[in-house]
Amino acid sequence: MSGTLYLIPNTLGTNTRGGLPAVLPEEVRTVTAGLKYFVGEQAKSTRAFLKLVGVGTPIQEIDIRELNVNTPDAAIDALLAPILAGADGGLVSEAGCPAVADPGALLVRRAHEKGVRVVPFVGPSSILLALMASGLNGQSFAFHGYLPTDAGERTKRLRELEQRSRKEKQTQIFIETPYRNKAMLDALLQSCDASTLLCVAVDVTQDAEQIVTHRVKGWPHASVDLHKRPAIFLFLAQ
């Protein structure tokens, strides 16, 4: 009989306001502490997370394997093998919920194909938390991951999404690599209509958290420091 694949949320940073119990329920921490097999994007950061949780087994005795953008599809079965053999395992993201904007979704899909029980745990999702705090439409929204890095293609995509937002009254959500945050904000302010509502959520759940929603026209530049900080961008065309 196969084991269970637990989907274990990670914190969104190292300075979580209220500490670990504020973002990871006791059940998550208890189950995580009892597991001896984990799949994560990077072994080093997965070990750091396990030390934070306080696992019962010495770290060096825990089997940690990597699943990231460089992992070939052919390797997924090998990652699932210990669970198929009867061991319970945990899938851990670098930050937030596993399998959401995360390569771990491949492992989850394969688990379903093999009849493995999949158990998702409650934890922080910067995407949903930013949407909750934005004041934008939470009935209809779409998450697009990363937009094109080329300036021309990015502008084209933003205008397409703004048209969609206006037509469907749908909140558009996306992320960016921290060092490109300013370029993304500049592109939004230059490409979007003055009446479009824009939200930028930075360091969600952290002590330095900032969440600002304002129309593109008159956007308060000094209100949010984006420099190399994890950010979520949301907008709703009016």
Side-chain angles (χ1 to χ4, degrees), residues 12 17 125-126 129-130 201-206 209-211 230 232:
L12 297 178
R17 63 171 186 271
S125 166
S126 58
L129 291 170
V202 182
D203 281 333
V204 177
T205 75
Q206 303 299 292
E209 178 184 85
Q210 290 180 278
I211 302 174
I232 303 286

Side-chain angles (χ1 to χ4, degrees), residues 21 45 52 56 70-71 84-85 117 124 136 138 165 170-171 176-177 196 233:
S45 55
L52 180 67
N70 297 314
T71 303
L84 288 172
R117 180 181 178 226
L136 306 184
S165 178
Q170 184 182 72
T171 300
E176 184 52 278
T177 302
T196 291
F233 298 87

Side-chain angles (χ1 to χ4, degrees), residues 47-66:
R47 282 193 291 269
F49 170 71
L50 296 180
K51 289 178 181 178
L52 180 67
V53 171
V55 293
T57 303
I59 293 293
Q60 62 269 22
E61 296 179 15
I62 295 176
D63 186 359
I64 301 174
R65 304 186 192 181
E66 295 187 345

Side-chain angles (χ1 to χ4, degrees), residues 112-136:
H112 284 297
E113 291 172 353
K114 292 290 187 177
V116 171
R117 180 181 178 226
V118 176
V119 176
F121 277 136
V122 173
S125 166
S126 58
I127 300 166
L128 286 179
L129 291 170
L131 178 62
M132 289 164 57
S134 69
L136 306 184

